[in-house]
Amino acid sequence: MITTISILKKFIDFVNINLTAEIINCIIMIHFFELIKNGIGLSRIGKIKIHKSSKKSIYTPNIIIPFKQFFSNNAEFIDSFGCHDIFIISEEKYLKEEILNKRFGESFFLYTHYGTLQKFQEILEEKKEIFHNSNIIPIIPFNIPTISINKKFSENEIKNHLKNIEIILKDNPNINFGLSIKIYKDFDLFNLYISLIENNINIKILNFIDLFKNLTYYRRIIDLIKDIKENLDNNLVLMASGTIISNYLPILVYFGFDLVDSSYSLLISSNNLYESIETLLPISKIKFLPCSCLSCEGKLSKLLGEKHSTEKIDLLCYHNLLTIKNYMNKTVQYLHTEDFRNFVEKSSLNNPNFISLLRIFDKAYYNFTKNYSQLNQKNKIINCLGPSSYYRPDFNYFRNKINENFEPESWTKLIVLFPCSAKKPYSLSKSHKKFLKILRKIPEFPAIQEIILTSPLGLIPRQLEDIYPAHSYDIPVTGDWDNEEIKISSKMLIRVLNKFNKDIPIICHLNGRYLDIVNQTEKEIEHKFFYTDMKEHPTSNDSLDHLNILIQKHISSYLPDASITKENYLSNTWLRKFKKIIDFQFGSGLGTLLINNEIKYRKNKLHTKIEIFNSNTKSIIGNFEISSGKIQLAIKGAEKIAFEKDFLKYIVFDGSNISGNTLFRPGIIDFSSDLYTNDNVCIFDKEKKNVIGMGNMIVSSEFIKNTTSGRVVKLYEIKK
Amino acid sequence: MKLRNNSSRNGHLSEEIDHLRKYSLNRNRKFTIEQLNKPVSFWIKKERLLNEIGKEFTIILRTKGCYWALEHAGCSMCGYIEDANIDNVNSQQVINQFNYALDKKLEEINSDKCSYVLKIFNSGSFFDDNEISEDIRCHIYKRISIIPNIKEVTIETRVEFINKNVLKEMQKYLENKYVELGIGLESVDDYIRNNYINKNLLFDDFIRVTKLSHEMGIGIKAYLLFKPPFLNEQGAIDDCVHSIKTLLNFNIDTISINPCNIQKGSLVEYLWNQKRYRPPWFYSLFESFKEALKQEDFERVRILCDPSGSGSKRGIHNCSSKECNGNMKEILQNFILNQDLRELDSLDSECICKKKYDIQKYQN
Ligand code: SF4
Ligand SMILES: [Zn+2]
Ligand SMILES: [Zn+2]
């Protein structure tokens, strides 16, 4: 594709058209892999087109089914797997046009050989035609040596292996390959592969053999994946093979694997083990078949008590393959429509190593993950399971953004701390309605900064209660917080309260464990704390009465700077919110440039959006989208802040006009390093003089840096 | 004898073997004088001769041991050094060993209607003067030259000891017998041979001595190690097929396949103990034969295979069933004796382990 672009560029230079980038941007890029959408963690949804001429693509993540004997003689297999997207062939006899292009013409194939590299090479040579003309990708094997005796040995072997495959790659520049990667026990040996992968663009798939075999190498596994993402083209397809059973799938997908080889299911079948998803059960123990596939409902159930037979292994193969295939479907379904992270956590409960892997990844690798993770989800209920959820990347992102971007309103006179509610946004809950009823009666209501304490997010300033994930997370409100949760909240509270003048009084309308948060905070900061007398619970009349009394008592004890005027003072709740949301999204201080008392807003009929506009000029600043909790700036709005030096959400396009609804990688000449998936982003023209479009990031700055192709921004407005 | 500098060799394997070997040799027992005057063992049994079914008379002599193992750790699958007497065995003792065996069996051989192949093995190199001196060799030649029933003679040696002189000397006595030099080539692949087996031998050198021997009318028997360590089943099949096909092109007279077995004190034993190596399956061996050979090839080559420890967990085996392994051994024996590929398909009912094998073949 790179060559196509350069040829095109030359042609355009030749006819002297000044539209280079626009034209290039309009060409639909045909690549091997195309990222469609990032999910949480490193998970992603993508599309693979194995052969240039094929119309069909397969979607990733996907499971690879071993193509074996049973596809030629077993009707049940053909019924259940015949239409599967992707198979792996390991026997030469199936490398036939008749199978690849006719009988299974709708599917994609991988081919590998489980013996020596030399034999693989011979087959490749012999069947060159097939590899050129069919939907099949050869995966260069790395089977030998099967084991290593020490690190030096591994190193020598890998070097020698790479020398041999370099020849294969160079000899077949027009065939796309998958590359099997083996590192034995020494993860740093992966470095040996890097230059080979970089130098051979016909490597499209990286097949990691047994990377997850020893799950206790948490950090080494993660470091390796980090290495791949940071040093190699992000459009390389990651494939996992080797020791893999169903319950690995969610975690593999979470860690960014696009393809998973299910061949191991056959091996477990041959050892008479039965996939129950949670674990593997010896078939001899099974009395109650927990499945109703053709095998379990049929013959397998009758053979349970019988001794092992070829037939029984076949039946087990069928069940085990079907189970892992279905579980992959489930995983992908959750990735598409649900809070996938929650699914990953839940399924990880089967294996303590998975939980550890997740926790370490969350805690120590957030700065890496945020470059690949979805940080904002629409229309989803985010369920928190407990400790495994505390440091999800989207939660971390939220906390960090508040810590960094939230600034006090200059007119604040009083701070009130509230407990959270189950209903989101909080102000729609019964309890918060009661709190607000008291607060709104106070003439200086806009000068009160409400802060809601919550777990595991920490805290949420009232102005930001409508953004993700504050507006959509769900955790059982039992008040039964653990020490970790207390620590998260108090740390954040200290950080945020320190932004306020220390003479501003703080009223705590809290009870139970919430008070522990405040106790920890009070020790660390200079502000004065006042506590309402809690009678029974925060919403009891007595408690509310006392809240009222306390507020009345302290509302005037601090007087903000006299320079506050009508112009820079916002009393409208939504305007206060918009301003803080803009700060949250684009950087602190930028909200002031956009939101003032001239700004008006209106909800659309369906109540899905709030349009924000200037009441004098009638120009639209942007839209607040309720489901995502994000403001989508309009070009007119962006123009007001985009030229500020602190504005970091931009991309510079190689041209002066942009068209279509997607911005592709090749059209980009410069970009901020602060772009994350789903960020609202502003597109500058080549000279960086005009805002020519607005969109949402499909990927991050890191991805742009590490790729040469692919979709980058989904545009929703372009300058006509 | 100078070591060839083979730059592609992975020295780390040799270090590892050396380490294991030291451990094993330290506890090596000394042999009594009586033992030193008798061979390690000797036997007569059915064997495929060049053109007929006959018998083999095998004598295993105890000598100082293979220099390659003694001085350079040796090959990864080899435990022969366990049989050797490190503190040398004098010439007379070796002669006594030979005489002892031959005298015991001479009558049987002379009175037999069958033709014989005499195999003299010394777990090292027959032509290495340090193991078997010229005197001993001449003594042996002289004695066998006058036994008419012995039609073929096979000895074993490393390539570096083969030269015109030793061959001439042998020819002098054994003119009327078919002589074959057994050489542990193990694989035609230099990388596998030197990095996984630690053989320190190049294929080119093997071919050089093959030409020399053929010029002098002496045959070559190449040993192939089936499933060297670090190879999986399919890899073993690929390597074996590749080796057989290549050797056919070089007109090697006899190819003897040795399925790797677990020998005491070897690296392979160490890996096997850790469950990181499994001896090959019979199925793989049969598949290799079928893939590598056509029936007409047997007009040019003799294929031998007499696996030690076959059917046991230390040798080539399928599942743990006696019946299954027994069937396999019988098929193999018939195939070798008759040199007929059809024998390999003569199994009536398949054991359930075939299914397992088909799946597990792809594991290590
Ligand atoms: S296999 Fe032969 S050459 Fe290798 S160590 Fe053993 S006896 Fe010596
Ligand atoms: Zn089932
Ligand atoms: Zn069996």
Side-chain angles (χ1 to χ4, degrees), chain A residues 68 90-91 113-116 118-119 122 143-150 152-153 156-157 160 264 266-267 270-272 308-310 313-314 317, chain B residues 9-13 16 189 191-192 195-196 230-232 234-236 238-239 242 267 270-271 276 291 351-352 355-356 358-360 362-364:
Chain A
K68 291 276 170 187
S90 56
E91 285 162 85
H113 175 70
Y114 286 110
T116 63
Q118 190 185 5
K119 178 74 186 178
E122 277 168 29
N143 301 308
I144 293 160
T146 49
I147 51 162
S148 167
I149 46 172
N150 56 40
K152 276 270 169 247
F153 180 88
N156 262 341
E157 289 299 325
N160 175 64
Y264 192 70
L266 301 181
L267 188 84
S270 80
N271 287 325
N272 298 302
H308 303 314
S309 64
T310 307
I313 293 178
D314 272 342
C317 280
Chain B
R9 218 175 110 235
N10 193 338
H12 311 292
L13 187 66
E16 197 75 22
D189 186 315
Y191 195 87
I192 291 177
N195 287 282
Y196 303 148
F230 307 103
L231 267 64
N232 58 1
Q234 184 60 49
D238 293 345
D239 175 53
H242 176 221
L267 175 79
Y270 170 75
L271 298 175
R276 305 211 294 162
E291 202 182 320
C351 178
I352 178 194
K355 184 89 200 172
K356 289 195 179 188
D358 283 338
I359 291 172
Q360 296 180 357
Y362 305 125
Q363 303 296 309
N364 300 332

Side-chain angles (χ1 to χ4, degrees), chain A residues 274 291-293 296 319:
Chain A
Y274 179 95
C291 167
S292 54
C293 70
C296 295
H319 164 84

